[in-house]
Amino acid sequence: MTTETQSQQLSDGIDLLIEALKLNGISNLYGLPGIPITDLTRRAQAAGLRMISFRHEQNAGNAASIAGFLTQKPGICLTVSAPGFLNGLTALSNATTNCFPMILISGSSEREIVDLQQGDYEEMDQLAIAKPLCKAAFRVLHIDDIGVGIARAIRAAVSGRPGGVYLDLPAKLLAQTMETEAARKTLIKVVDPAPRQIPAPEAVQRALRLLAGAKRPLIILGKGAAYARAENEIRALIEKTKIPYLPMSMAKGILPDNHEQSAAAARSYVLPEADVVMLVGARLNWLLSHGKGKTWGGKDAKAWGGQKYIQIDISPTEADSNVPTDAPLVGDIGSCVSALLDGINAAGSGWPQPSADWLGAISDRKGKNIAKMAETLAKNPSPMNFHSALNVVRDIVKANPDAMLVNEGANALDFTRSIVDMYKPRKRIDVGTWGVMGIGMGFAVAAAVETNLPVIAIEGDSAFGFSGMEVETICRYKLPVCIVIFNNNGVYKGTDVNPAGGPDVAPTVFVKGARYDMLMQAFGGVGVHATTPEELRKAMEEAVRSRKPTLINAVIDETAGTESGRITSLNPKSAKK
């Protein structure tokens, strides 16, 4: 037997890792090549996996995390050791906080050197660092455990409340070999990694009794409902009961934003006035003022308004997190909503409808607020402001409801969320629970790769700076991404001045008149400088039609916007100014 024949009978750690991923339906990888995973990225591509290589690991990690949200399969991010791992760890933590299934796979130094702190290349105890920041963390030391490691990582990422998982692969593991046939027998195809969790019948009945007794009920939809792909069940429940609903940011589109039962345009009225609130895949965190304070009719920041709560969540520990949960309904969202719907259908025509006064008050406020918004959007100031620019975006999204919308910034985020309607589920992806900036280009890349649909990324000029170099990645892979940067010359706005009067500009001010469109042109993409709504509209329509990588530098009034957007209250100010 020749040496060549013998080598063909052996598989190394890289072979098994690739085969384990393919066996479990993974087709796309996000990452950045380098020691010790360079050959892994090459061979993954040769084996038929799509390897999307980024300019920074954090952006690759963000891409993997949102891929998990869009597909319900864990997004995979590959990084090098130590600094590369740390760059990816921010995205992994963000994925865990947002309940996005993701696996960060990093090469690492050898255990015997790390444990004795002998000074290896990029030495770091990565597993210990990752553990408190993700849902689960594993290390594989032997080649015949790769199949188990991948299986455990997948199941941990997608089961129960999804989240981020870290998988540590020391460099020595990748070079280990074993006989190919025996190696294949160590691989595991994960069966039913996220099984349905049926709610307890008594919990369903408790929730139904509370809902039936409500006069002013309200349903709040969170991004967990979008992830669950339960939009058919949710729509049936909402339309059957006639209960108004309020979508959180990434839940927009579960039902079309122009649905008659949407209470989004009357948010400030329905939250404090509702008597029974049903949370569907939403958490009473800071985005909902923790269920307390004046937002909810409380007398002070720590007081809650006395609402009764039904909470549908796959995690029982989420109940009572801020206010009492009167009817916790634990299970997967599809099963829980279906169980409620069965009970309501069984009641037939005897199921009570919300108070006519409640529905009428919501309708009146919606009508007034929508009319007021329409009047504002119809204005055409020069230079553009957020409203006049987003009026264009609103029309483009309405004409292209299948397009993916990525959104980040402070004012760019807040105004887009309230102005641009969504019509289908999982089309809007944004900064989520942590509210972090820098997700834009990573999310845009993954949205294009995973859906093959046009992507519209609405970016503040500050937010874009966190991941802007990935426009080269977008151009390299010829992705159908249209980036619109609202350029007002700074963080929040470009009008601050240096209080000391020195030569440096204020900390929040950028280069005046920056031409971000030229950055896209430098890599072969389409760059457009837009100063009017007409120019913006023409450029966006062409970008969506052509599917060419496009960046539009939309110049807006530098006085537009407010500091910290709509969370100014979270930005403490010094008493001395």
Short mmCIF file of all heavy atoms in Angstrom, two decimals, residues 11-36:
data_model
loop_
_atom_site.label_atom_id
_atom_site.label_comp_id
_atom_site.label_asym_id
_atom_site.label_seq_id
_atom_site.Cartn_x
_atom_site.Cartn_y
_atom_site.Cartn_z
N SER A 11 -8.53 10.89 7.94
CA SER A 11 -9.18 12.20 8.01
C SER A 11 -8.57 12.97 9.18
O SER A 11 -8.27 12.38 10.23
CB SER A 11 -10.68 12.06 8.23
OG SER A 11 -11.31 11.45 7.12
N ASP A 12 -8.39 14.26 8.99
CA ASP A 12 -7.88 15.06 10.10
C ASP A 12 -9.02 15.85 10.74
O ASP A 12 -10.20 15.74 10.34
CB ASP A 12 -6.73 15.97 9.66
CG ASP A 12 -7.14 17.01 8.61
OD1 ASP A 12 -8.36 17.20 8.41
OD2 ASP A 12 -6.25 17.62 8.00
N GLY A 13 -8.66 16.66 11.74
CA GLY A 13 -9.67 17.40 12.47
C GLY A 13 -10.46 18.36 11.60
O GLY A 13 -11.67 18.56 11.82
N ILE A 14 -9.81 18.95 10.63
CA ILE A 14 -10.50 19.86 9.72
C ILE A 14 -11.54 19.12 8.91
O ILE A 14 -12.69 19.58 8.75
CB ILE A 14 -9.49 20.59 8.81
CG1 ILE A 14 -8.64 21.56 9.64
CG2 ILE A 14 -10.21 21.33 7.69
CD1 ILE A 14 -7.58 22.28 8.83
N ASP A 15 -11.17 17.94 8.40
CA ASP A 15 -12.14 17.14 7.64
C ASP A 15 -13.39 16.86 8.46
O ASP A 15 -14.52 17.02 7.99
CB ASP A 15 -11.50 15.79 7.25
CG ASP A 15 -10.41 15.92 6.20
OD1 ASP A 15 -10.55 16.80 5.33
OD2 ASP A 15 -9.44 15.16 6.26
N LEU A 16 -13.19 16.43 9.70
CA LEU A 16 -14.34 16.05 10.53
C LEU A 16 -15.19 17.26 10.90
O LEU A 16 -16.43 17.16 10.93
CB LEU A 16 -13.85 15.34 11.81
CG LEU A 16 -14.02 13.81 11.75
CD1 LEU A 16 -13.11 13.22 10.69
CD2 LEU A 16 -13.76 13.19 13.09
N LEU A 17 -14.56 18.37 11.15
CA LEU A 17 -15.32 19.57 11.49
C LEU A 17 -16.22 19.97 10.32
O LEU A 17 -17.41 20.26 10.49
CB LEU A 17 -14.37 20.71 11.84
CG LEU A 17 -15.01 22.06 12.17
CD1 LEU A 17 -15.93 21.93 13.38
CD2 LEU A 17 -13.94 23.11 12.43
N ILE A 18 -15.66 19.97 9.12
CA ILE A 18 -16.43 20.32 7.92
C ILE A 18 -17.57 19.33 7.71
O ILE A 18 -18.72 19.72 7.44
CB ILE A 18 -15.51 20.39 6.69
CG1 ILE A 18 -14.54 21.57 6.81
CG2 ILE A 18 -16.33 20.49 5.41
CD1 ILE A 18 -13.43 21.57 5.78
N GLU A 19 -17.27 18.04 7.83
CA GLU A 19 -18.31 17.03 7.62
C GLU A 19 -19.40 17.12 8.67
O GLU A 19 -20.58 16.90 8.39
CB GLU A 19 -17.67 15.64 7.60
CG GLU A 19 -16.82 15.36 6.37
CD GLU A 19 -17.59 15.55 5.07
OE1 GLU A 19 -18.73 15.07 4.97
OE2 GLU A 19 -17.05 16.22 4.16
N ALA A 20 -19.02 17.43 9.92
CA ALA A 20 -20.02 17.55 10.98
C ALA A 20 -20.97 18.72 10.71
O ALA A 20 -22.19 18.62 10.94
CB ALA A 20 -19.33 17.73 12.33
N LEU A 21 -20.43 19.83 10.23
CA LEU A 21 -21.26 20.98 9.91
C LEU A 21 -22.19 20.68 8.74
O LEU A 21 -23.40 20.97 8.79
CB LEU A 21 -20.38 22.19 9.59
CG LEU A 21 -19.57 22.77 10.76
CD1 LEU A 21 -18.60 23.83 10.26
CD2 LEU A 21 -20.47 23.34 11.84
N LYS A 22 -21.65 20.06 7.70
CA LYS A 22 -22.47 19.73 6.53
C LYS A 22 -23.57 18.73 6.90
O LYS A 22 -24.71 18.84 6.43
CB LYS A 22 -21.59 19.19 5.41
CG LYS A 22 -20.66 20.22 4.80
CD LYS A 22 -19.74 19.62 3.75
CE LYS A 22 -20.49 19.13 2.53
NZ LYS A 22 -19.57 18.63 1.48
N LEU A 23 -23.23 17.75 7.71
CA LEU A 23 -24.20 16.74 8.12
C LEU A 23 -25.39 17.37 8.82
O LEU A 23 -26.52 16.87 8.73
CB LEU A 23 -23.52 15.73 9.06
CG LEU A 23 -24.37 14.58 9.60
CD1 LEU A 23 -24.84 13.67 8.45
CD2 LEU A 23 -23.61 13.78 10.64
N ASN A 24 -25.17 18.50 9.49
CA ASN A 24 -26.23 19.17 10.24
C ASN A 24 -26.82 20.37 9.51
O ASN A 24 -27.42 21.27 10.12
CB ASN A 24 -25.71 19.57 11.62
CG ASN A 24 -25.61 18.38 12.54
OD1 ASN A 24 -26.62 17.90 13.04
ND2 ASN A 24 -24.39 17.88 12.76
N GLY A 25 -26.66 20.39 8.20
CA GLY A 25 -27.36 21.36 7.38
C GLY A 25 -26.77 22.75 7.37
O GLY A 25 -27.44 23.70 6.93
N ILE A 26 -25.54 22.90 7.83
CA ILE A 26 -24.88 24.21 7.78
C ILE A 26 -24.31 24.40 6.38
O ILE A 26 -23.58 23.56 5.86
CB ILE A 26 -23.76 24.31 8.83
CG1 ILE A 26 -24.32 24.08 10.24
CG2 ILE A 26 -23.05 25.65 8.73
CD1 ILE A 26 -25.35 25.07 10.68
N SER A 27 -24.63 25.53 5.76
CA SER A 27 -24.15 25.78 4.40
C SER A 27 -23.32 27.05 4.28
O SER A 27 -22.54 27.19 3.33
CB SER A 27 -25.33 25.87 3.43
OG SER A 27 -26.26 26.86 3.85
N ASN A 28 -23.46 27.99 5.23
CA ASN A 28 -22.73 29.26 5.17
C ASN A 28 -21.89 29.46 6.42
O ASN A 28 -22.35 29.19 7.54
CB ASN A 28 -23.71 30.44 5.04
CG ASN A 28 -24.54 30.36 3.78
OD1 ASN A 28 -24.04 30.00 2.72
ND2 ASN A 28 -25.81 30.70 3.88
N LEU A 29 -20.66 29.92 6.23
CA LEU A 29 -19.76 30.24 7.33
C LEU A 29 -19.36 31.70 7.22
O LEU A 29 -19.18 32.23 6.11
CB LEU A 29 -18.51 29.36 7.29
CG LEU A 29 -18.70 27.84 7.24
CD1 LEU A 29 -17.35 27.16 7.15
CD2 LEU A 29 -19.47 27.35 8.46
N TYR A 30 -19.20 32.35 8.35
CA TYR A 30 -18.76 33.74 8.40
C TYR A 30 -17.51 33.80 9.26
O TYR A 30 -17.43 33.15 10.31
CB TYR A 30 -19.86 34.63 8.99
CG TYR A 30 -21.16 34.54 8.24
CD1 TYR A 30 -22.15 33.61 8.59
CD2 TYR A 30 -21.43 35.38 7.16
CE1 TYR A 30 -23.34 33.52 7.89
CE2 TYR A 30 -22.62 35.30 6.45
CZ TYR A 30 -23.57 34.36 6.82
OH TYR A 30 -24.75 34.28 6.13
N GLY A 31 -16.52 34.58 8.84
CA GLY A 31 -15.32 34.62 9.66
C GLY A 31 -14.20 35.42 9.03
O GLY A 31 -14.42 36.24 8.13
N LEU A 32 -13.00 35.15 9.52
CA LEU A 32 -11.82 35.85 9.05
C LEU A 32 -10.64 34.89 9.16
O LEU A 32 -10.35 34.40 10.25
CB LEU A 32 -11.59 37.11 9.89
CG LEU A 32 -10.71 38.21 9.30
CD1 LEU A 32 -11.05 39.55 9.94
CD2 LEU A 32 -9.24 37.90 9.52
N PRO A 33 -9.98 34.58 8.05
CA PRO A 33 -8.90 33.59 8.09
C PRO A 33 -7.66 34.10 8.81
O PRO A 33 -7.42 35.31 8.89
CB PRO A 33 -8.62 33.33 6.61
CG PRO A 33 -9.05 34.58 5.91
CD PRO A 33 -10.22 35.09 6.69
N GLY A 34 -6.89 33.17 9.34
CA GLY A 34 -5.65 33.48 10.03
C GLY A 34 -5.25 32.27 10.87
O GLY A 34 -6.00 31.30 11.00
N ILE A 35 -4.07 32.32 11.45
CA ILE A 35 -3.58 31.20 12.26
C ILE A 35 -4.51 30.99 13.46
O ILE A 35 -4.82 31.95 14.16
CB ILE A 35 -2.14 31.48 12.75
CG1 ILE A 35 -1.19 31.59 11.56
CG2 ILE A 35 -1.66 30.40 13.72
CD1 ILE A 35 0.21 32.05 11.93
N PRO A 36 -5.00 29.76 13.74
CA PRO A 36 -4.71 28.50 13.07
C PRO A 36 -5.84 27.99 12.18
O PRO A 36 -5.95 26.78 11.97
CB PRO A 36 -4.52 27.56 14.26
CG PRO A 36 -5.55 28.03 15.24
CD PRO A 36 -5.66 29.52 15.04
#
